[in-house]
Amino acid sequence: MKLTEPSNPMRQLHLGVLVVQPSPFCNINCDYCYLPHRTSRRRMDFDTLRTIMTRVAESGLVGPEFTLLWHAGEPLAVPVSWYEEAFEIIDSFPELRGKVRHSFQSNGTLINQKWCDFIRSHPIDIGLSIDGPAPIHDAHRKTRSGDGTHAKTIRGAELLKTNGIPFGVVAVISDASLGRPDEIYQYFRSLGIRGVGFNIEEVEGANATSSLGDESESRVRQFLQRVFDLNRSDGFPLQIREFENAFEALESPDQNRTPDGKYYNLETEAFAMINVDCSGNFSSFSPELLGQPTDKYGTFSFGNVLRQSLFEATANPAFQHVISDIDAGNHRCAETCPYWEHCGGASPSNKYYENGSFDSTETHHCRSMIQMPIDIVRQHIAARPASSQLAKHA
């Protein structure tokens, strides 16, 4: 199953997301974090960054636009001065000019006026990780000394608002969240944000356990249903990622499949997502896999940009094993799961960490983050008057 350059007649692949780790270091210590080595202060050097962008530019994978996500550590722990030079390097590639949309996912605790000035002067989207009001947020998002981080995160959020910088929120649903949907929803409304995405606390990577057991799935469903009902009652002021995805999936199911009938999912399609660590090691598929140890697959780093091109790495036995199992697992999803046409295949990292293999089917993650929102939205659509069936969010 060796891949060829994008001249493959089956489909013209395009890079959707390039995840770049400027450093594995994080200044806080969330107890559900999947990232290893987050106390390491290693930093990507500019020669490595320049080589990454060379590999991307020469790959033929660049379409009209892609997202460069600075992530996999706390990206704002690397100083603004580093990014000023990094952005100059990226802008020096004519093939990439005007095609890169920068995105930072941050815990928000390090935001200051210098960061706001930098964000305002570049095409940057920023998301903050906020689980809810202080008691919920601080239950898991702590400093290394065990203190809560909510106050510092909100200070950063307020500084973004003062500078007119819009931001979205990613919130983790943990044991501290269940049973408190009203409080969380009203809190996010009070922040004045337009968008929020919910992640369930996952067994993944360095996070070997979860405060959410299998018996909590009914409570997760109740949580999501209540958040949806509250948002509907208010006229859908919040764009909640899971429900937005569900509306789109139900109204346009073909978006998850390619013209030849195969699944299409950013995390299951080789090189639609490329993940590179601060040393230049790279993988494809789910960013949660990069740098993680594994007995079954050898390594989830398929190559290093300093030594080989992206497509040369497809000859790596680990890559061949992983993509073969991902493909087999998604075919099994297609054959057995009624949600497949709306999903395109569950996240490979969740399959691996929950089921022990990519060649598997549903997970706690897909039941909670894909199936439940689809059920809730489908029920909402079915209950609408026929005259408004096609009106999104009516």
mmCIF file of all heavy atoms in Angstrom, residues 32 130-141 150 171-181 183-185 187 223:
data_model
loop_
_atom_site.group_PDB
_atom_site.id
_atom_site.type_symbol
_atom_site.label_atom_id
_atom_site.label_comp_id
_atom_site.label_asym_id
_atom_site.label_seq_id
_atom_site.Cartn_x
_atom_site.Cartn_y
_atom_site.Cartn_z
ATOM 1 N N TYR A 32 -5.092 15.105 33.075
ATOM 2 C CA TYR A 32 -5.600 14.243 32.004
ATOM 3 C C TYR A 32 -4.837 14.429 30.690
ATOM 4 O O TYR A 32 -5.256 13.942 29.641
ATOM 5 C CB TYR A 32 -7.094 14.465 31.765
ATOM 6 C CG TYR A 32 -7.551 15.907 31.608
ATOM 7 C CD1 TYR A 32 -6.921 16.772 30.732
ATOM 8 C CD2 TYR A 32 -8.644 16.388 32.330
ATOM 9 C CE1 TYR A 32 -7.346 18.074 30.569
ATOM 10 C CE2 TYR A 32 -9.080 17.689 32.190
ATOM 11 C CZ TYR A 32 -8.423 18.532 31.302
ATOM 12 O OH TYR A 32 -8.845 19.835 31.141
ATOM 13 N N ILE A 130 -10.510 25.881 28.355
ATOM 14 C CA ILE A 130 -11.229 26.292 29.569
ATOM 15 C C ILE A 130 -12.332 25.265 29.810
ATOM 16 O O ILE A 130 -13.219 25.095 28.970
ATOM 17 C CB ILE A 130 -11.855 27.696 29.429
ATOM 18 C CG1 ILE A 130 -10.800 28.735 29.012
ATOM 19 C CG2 ILE A 130 -12.539 28.101 30.722
ATOM 20 C CD1 ILE A 130 -11.381 30.117 28.723
ATOM 21 N N ASP A 131 -12.298 24.593 30.924
ATOM 22 C CA ASP A 131 -13.277 23.536 31.179
ATOM 23 C C ASP A 131 -14.588 24.046 31.756
ATOM 24 O O ASP A 131 -15.578 23.305 31.798
ATOM 25 C CB ASP A 131 -12.687 22.489 32.124
ATOM 26 C CG ASP A 131 -11.611 21.639 31.452
ATOM 27 O OD1 ASP A 131 -11.431 21.776 30.223
ATOM 28 O OD2 ASP A 131 -10.951 20.855 32.156
ATOM 29 N N GLY A 132 -14.597 25.299 32.210
ATOM 30 C CA GLY A 132 -15.803 25.858 32.814
ATOM 31 C C GLY A 132 -15.415 26.812 33.919
ATOM 32 O O GLY A 132 -14.269 27.276 33.988
ATOM 33 N N PRO A 133 -16.347 27.132 34.813
ATOM 34 C CA PRO A 133 -16.019 28.010 35.945
ATOM 35 C C PRO A 133 -14.955 27.375 36.834
ATOM 36 O O PRO A 133 -14.653 26.185 36.735
ATOM 37 C CB PRO A 133 -17.355 28.176 36.661
ATOM 38 C CG PRO A 133 -18.201 27.053 36.177
ATOM 39 C CD PRO A 133 -17.749 26.710 34.801
ATOM 40 N N ALA A 134 -14.405 28.177 37.729
ATOM 41 C CA ALA A 134 -13.208 27.793 38.478
ATOM 42 C C ALA A 134 -13.268 26.416 39.136
ATOM 43 O O ALA A 134 -12.322 25.623 38.986
ATOM 44 C CB ALA A 134 -12.886 28.870 39.515
ATOM 45 N N PRO A 135 -14.324 26.050 39.858
ATOM 46 C CA PRO A 135 -14.303 24.735 40.519
ATOM 47 C C PRO A 135 -14.179 23.571 39.534
ATOM 48 O O PRO A 135 -13.554 22.551 39.854
ATOM 49 C CB PRO A 135 -15.644 24.696 41.268
ATOM 50 C CG PRO A 135 -16.027 26.128 41.443
ATOM 51 C CD PRO A 135 -15.531 26.823 40.202
ATOM 52 N N ILE A 136 -14.773 23.710 38.346
ATOM 53 C CA ILE A 136 -14.709 22.648 37.347
ATOM 54 C C ILE A 136 -13.354 22.671 36.644
ATOM 55 O O ILE A 136 -12.685 21.638 36.512
ATOM 56 C CB ILE A 136 -15.858 22.815 36.336
ATOM 57 C CG1 ILE A 136 -17.197 22.654 37.051
ATOM 58 C CG2 ILE A 136 -15.726 21.817 35.193
ATOM 59 C CD1 ILE A 136 -18.401 23.017 36.201
ATOM 60 N N HIS A 137 -12.938 23.829 36.217
ATOM 61 C CA HIS A 137 -11.656 23.988 35.521
ATOM 62 C C HIS A 137 -10.495 23.548 36.412
ATOM 63 O O HIS A 137 -9.612 22.781 35.979
ATOM 64 C CB HIS A 137 -11.495 25.456 35.123
ATOM 65 C CG HIS A 137 -10.230 25.781 34.404
ATOM 66 N ND1 HIS A 137 -10.156 25.851 33.020
ATOM 67 C CD2 HIS A 137 -8.976 26.069 34.865
ATOM 68 C CE1 HIS A 137 -8.928 26.172 32.666
ATOM 69 N NE2 HIS A 137 -8.183 26.308 33.769
ATOM 70 N N ASP A 138 -10.481 24.010 37.646
ATOM 71 C CA ASP A 138 -9.343 23.762 38.530
ATOM 72 C C ASP A 138 -9.302 22.341 39.082
ATOM 73 O O ASP A 138 -8.305 21.948 39.706
ATOM 74 C CB ASP A 138 -9.362 24.751 39.699
ATOM 75 C CG ASP A 138 -8.968 26.162 39.271
ATOM 76 O OD1 ASP A 138 -8.391 26.308 38.171
ATOM 77 O OD2 ASP A 138 -9.240 27.111 40.030
ATOM 78 N N ALA A 139 -10.341 21.564 38.838
ATOM 79 C CA ALA A 139 -10.333 20.173 39.303
ATOM 80 C C ALA A 139 -9.234 19.365 38.635
ATOM 81 O O ALA A 139 -8.676 18.436 39.231
ATOM 82 C CB ALA A 139 -11.699 19.526 39.042
ATOM 83 N N HIS A 140 -8.908 19.704 37.383
ATOM 84 C CA HIS A 140 -7.903 18.929 36.642
ATOM 85 C C HIS A 140 -6.805 19.784 36.028
ATOM 86 O O HIS A 140 -5.719 19.272 35.730
ATOM 87 C CB HIS A 140 -8.583 18.122 35.533
ATOM 88 C CG HIS A 140 -9.530 17.087 36.032
ATOM 89 N ND1 HIS A 140 -9.106 15.879 36.563
ATOM 90 C CD2 HIS A 140 -10.892 17.083 36.098
ATOM 91 C CE1 HIS A 140 -10.168 15.166 36.929
ATOM 92 N NE2 HIS A 140 -11.259 15.878 36.657
ATOM 93 N N ARG A 141 -7.063 21.061 35.806
ATOM 94 C CA ARG A 141 -6.094 21.925 35.132
ATOM 95 C C ARG A 141 -5.314 22.715 36.189
ATOM 96 O O ARG A 141 -5.714 23.811 36.577
ATOM 97 C CB ARG A 141 -6.791 22.844 34.133
ATOM 98 C CG ARG A 141 -7.610 22.086 33.086
ATOM 99 C CD ARG A 141 -8.115 22.985 31.983
ATOM 100 N NE ARG A 141 -7.038 23.605 31.248
ATOM 101 C CZ ARG A 141 -6.323 23.015 30.279
ATOM 102 N NH1 ARG A 141 -6.586 21.763 29.921
ATOM 103 N NH2 ARG A 141 -5.364 23.665 29.671
ATOM 104 N N HIS A 150 -7.355 28.555 36.746
ATOM 105 C CA HIS A 150 -8.485 29.265 36.161
ATOM 106 C C HIS A 150 -8.281 30.772 36.153
ATOM 107 O O HIS A 150 -8.519 31.446 35.137
ATOM 108 C CB HIS A 150 -9.765 28.917 36.908
ATOM 109 C CG HIS A 150 -10.990 29.565 36.351
ATOM 110 N ND1 HIS A 150 -11.484 30.774 36.819
ATOM 111 C CD2 HIS A 150 -11.826 29.190 35.340
ATOM 112 C CE1 HIS A 150 -12.564 31.097 36.141
ATOM 113 N NE2 HIS A 150 -12.805 30.165 35.244
ATOM 114 N N ALA A 171 -13.247 22.597 25.784
ATOM 115 C CA ALA A 171 -13.528 22.200 27.164
ATOM 116 C C ALA A 171 -13.526 20.688 27.268
ATOM 117 O O ALA A 171 -14.135 20.005 26.443
ATOM 118 C CB ALA A 171 -14.882 22.750 27.605
ATOM 119 N N VAL A 172 -12.842 20.177 28.272
ATOM 120 C CA VAL A 172 -12.810 18.736 28.510
ATOM 121 C C VAL A 172 -13.943 18.363 29.456
ATOM 122 O O VAL A 172 -14.101 18.964 30.526
ATOM 123 C CB VAL A 172 -11.450 18.299 29.097
ATOM 124 C CG1 VAL A 172 -11.478 16.820 29.482
ATOM 125 C CG2 VAL A 172 -10.329 18.569 28.099
ATOM 126 N N ILE A 173 -14.730 17.372 29.048
ATOM 127 C CA ILE A 173 -15.778 16.832 29.910
ATOM 128 C C ILE A 173 -15.148 15.774 30.803
ATOM 129 O O ILE A 173 -14.697 14.729 30.328
ATOM 130 C CB ILE A 173 -16.917 16.211 29.082
ATOM 131 C CG1 ILE A 173 -17.552 17.257 28.162
ATOM 132 C CG2 ILE A 173 -17.977 15.596 30.002
ATOM 133 C CD1 ILE A 173 -18.564 16.668 27.202
ATOM 134 N N SER A 174 -15.108 16.049 32.086
ATOM 135 C CA SER A 174 -14.527 15.123 33.058
ATOM 136 C C SER A 174 -15.564 14.808 34.122
ATOM 137 O O SER A 174 -16.728 15.212 34.030
ATOM 138 C CB SER A 174 -13.287 15.767 33.703
ATOM 139 O OG SER A 174 -13.687 16.850 34.534
ATOM 140 N N ASP A 175 -15.129 14.109 35.159
ATOM 141 C CA ASP A 175 -16.046 13.826 36.252
ATOM 142 C C ASP A 175 -16.553 15.108 36.916
ATOM 143 O O ASP A 175 -17.651 15.147 37.467
ATOM 144 C CB ASP A 175 -15.376 12.926 37.292
ATOM 145 C CG ASP A 175 -14.083 13.529 37.851
ATOM 146 O OD1 ASP A 175 -13.512 14.435 37.208
ATOM 147 O OD2 ASP A 175 -13.628 13.084 38.922
ATOM 148 N N ALA A 176 -15.739 16.166 36.823
ATOM 149 C CA ALA A 176 -16.140 17.441 37.433
ATOM 150 C C ALA A 176 -17.227 18.146 36.637
ATOM 151 O O ALA A 176 -17.891 19.047 37.158
ATOM 152 C CB ALA A 176 -14.917 18.351 37.564
ATOM 153 N N SER A 177 -17.413 17.752 35.364
ATOM 154 C CA SER A 177 -18.378 18.418 34.482
ATOM 155 C C SER A 177 -19.757 17.776 34.539
ATOM 156 O O SER A 177 -20.774 18.472 34.437
ATOM 157 C CB SER A 177 -17.885 18.370 33.035
ATOM 158 O OG SER A 177 -16.558 18.798 32.916
ATOM 159 N N LEU A 178 -19.790 16.456 34.672
ATOM 160 C CA LEU A 178 -21.059 15.740 34.602
ATOM 161 C C LEU A 178 -21.992 16.218 35.715
ATOM 162 O O LEU A 178 -21.602 16.402 36.858
ATOM 163 C CB LEU A 178 -20.828 14.236 34.717
ATOM 164 C CG LEU A 178 -19.988 13.621 33.583
ATOM 165 C CD1 LEU A 178 -19.863 12.112 33.793
ATOM 166 C CD2 LEU A 178 -20.597 13.923 32.222
ATOM 167 N N GLY A 179 -23.219 16.439 35.357
ATOM 168 C CA GLY A 179 -24.192 16.935 36.317
ATOM 169 C C GLY A 179 -24.219 18.450 36.443
ATOM 170 O O GLY A 179 -25.025 18.989 37.200
ATOM 171 N N ARG A 180 -23.361 19.146 35.666
ATOM 172 C CA ARG A 180 -23.313 20.614 35.783
ATOM 173 C C ARG A 180 -23.411 21.296 34.414
ATOM 174 O O ARG A 180 -22.734 22.298 34.157
ATOM 175 C CB ARG A 180 -22.028 21.014 36.498
ATOM 176 C CG ARG A 180 -21.898 20.346 37.842
ATOM 177 C CD ARG A 180 -20.575 20.586 38.529
ATOM 178 N NE ARG A 180 -20.506 21.893 39.164
ATOM 179 C CZ ARG A 180 -19.498 22.274 39.948
ATOM 180 N NH1 ARG A 180 -18.493 21.461 40.202
ATOM 181 N NH2 ARG A 180 -19.490 23.487 40.480
ATOM 182 N N PRO A 181 -24.236 20.793 33.502
ATOM 183 C CA PRO A 181 -24.310 21.396 32.166
ATOM 184 C C PRO A 181 -24.840 22.819 32.170
ATOM 185 O O PRO A 181 -24.372 23.658 31.399
ATOM 186 C CB PRO A 181 -25.242 20.453 31.390
ATOM 187 C CG PRO A 181 -26.069 19.793 32.449
ATOM 188 C CD PRO A 181 -25.145 19.638 33.621
ATOM 189 N N GLU A 183 -24.544 25.117 34.489
ATOM 190 C CA GLU A 183 -23.496 25.998 34.991
ATOM 191 C C GLU A 183 -22.434 26.238 33.924
ATOM 192 O O GLU A 183 -21.981 27.372 33.715
ATOM 193 C CB GLU A 183 -22.867 25.359 36.228
ATOM 194 C CG GLU A 183 -21.906 26.245 36.984
ATOM 195 C CD GLU A 183 -21.390 25.569 38.239
ATOM 196 O OE1 GLU A 183 -21.951 24.520 38.648
ATOM 197 O OE2 GLU A 183 -20.401 26.093 38.818
ATOM 198 N N ILE A 184 -22.042 25.179 33.228
ATOM 199 C CA ILE A 184 -21.001 25.297 32.200
ATOM 200 C C ILE A 184 -21.514 26.104 31.015
ATOM 201 O O ILE A 184 -20.827 26.992 30.495
ATOM 202 C CB ILE A 184 -20.530 23.895 31.766
ATOM 203 C CG1 ILE A 184 -19.728 23.251 32.904
ATOM 204 C CG2 ILE A 184 -19.693 23.958 30.492
ATOM 205 C CD1 ILE A 184 -19.372 21.808 32.670
ATOM 206 N N TYR A 185 -22.738 25.809 30.580
ATOM 207 C CA TYR A 185 -23.294 26.546 29.434
ATOM 208 C C TYR A 185 -23.401 28.036 29.738
ATOM 209 O O TYR A 185 -22.970 28.885 28.933
ATOM 210 C CB TYR A 185 -24.668 25.985 29.063
ATOM 211 C CG TYR A 185 -25.353 26.795 27.984
ATOM 212 C CD1 TYR A 185 -24.994 26.646 26.643
ATOM 213 C CD2 TYR A 185 -26.338 27.733 28.311
ATOM 214 C CE1 TYR A 185 -25.602 27.404 25.656
ATOM 215 C CE2 TYR A 185 -26.951 28.500 27.329
ATOM 216 C CZ TYR A 185 -26.572 28.329 26.004
ATOM 217 O OH TYR A 185 -27.161 29.097 25.022
ATOM 218 N N TYR A 187 -21.819 29.732 31.852
ATOM 219 C CA TYR A 187 -20.485 30.316 32.000
ATOM 220 C C TYR A 187 -19.902 30.683 30.639
ATOM 221 O O TYR A 187 -19.366 31.783 30.459
ATOM 222 C CB TYR A 187 -19.564 29.337 32.725
ATOM 223 C CG TYR A 187 -18.177 29.890 32.926
ATOM 224 C CD1 TYR A 187 -17.919 30.844 33.894
ATOM 225 C CD2 TYR A 187 -17.124 29.465 32.117
ATOM 226 C CE1 TYR A 187 -16.653 31.366 34.071
ATOM 227 C CE2 TYR A 187 -15.857 29.984 32.285
ATOM 228 C CZ TYR A 187 -15.623 30.933 33.262
ATOM 229 O OH TYR A 187 -14.372 31.450 33.419
ATOM 230 N N PHE A 223 -25.622 15.199 29.684
ATOM 231 C CA PHE A 223 -24.903 16.468 29.662
ATOM 232 C C PHE A 223 -25.040 17.126 28.287
ATOM 233 O O PHE A 223 -25.402 18.308 28.171
ATOM 234 C CB PHE A 223 -23.428 16.226 29.994
ATOM 235 C CG PHE A 223 -22.559 17.447 29.890
ATOM 236 C CD1 PHE A 223 -22.311 18.235 31.007
ATOM 237 C CD2 PHE A 223 -21.976 17.818 28.681
ATOM 238 C CE1 PHE A 223 -21.510 19.372 30.922
ATOM 239 C CE2 PHE A 223 -21.177 18.941 28.582
ATOM 240 C CZ PHE A 223 -20.944 19.722 29.699
#
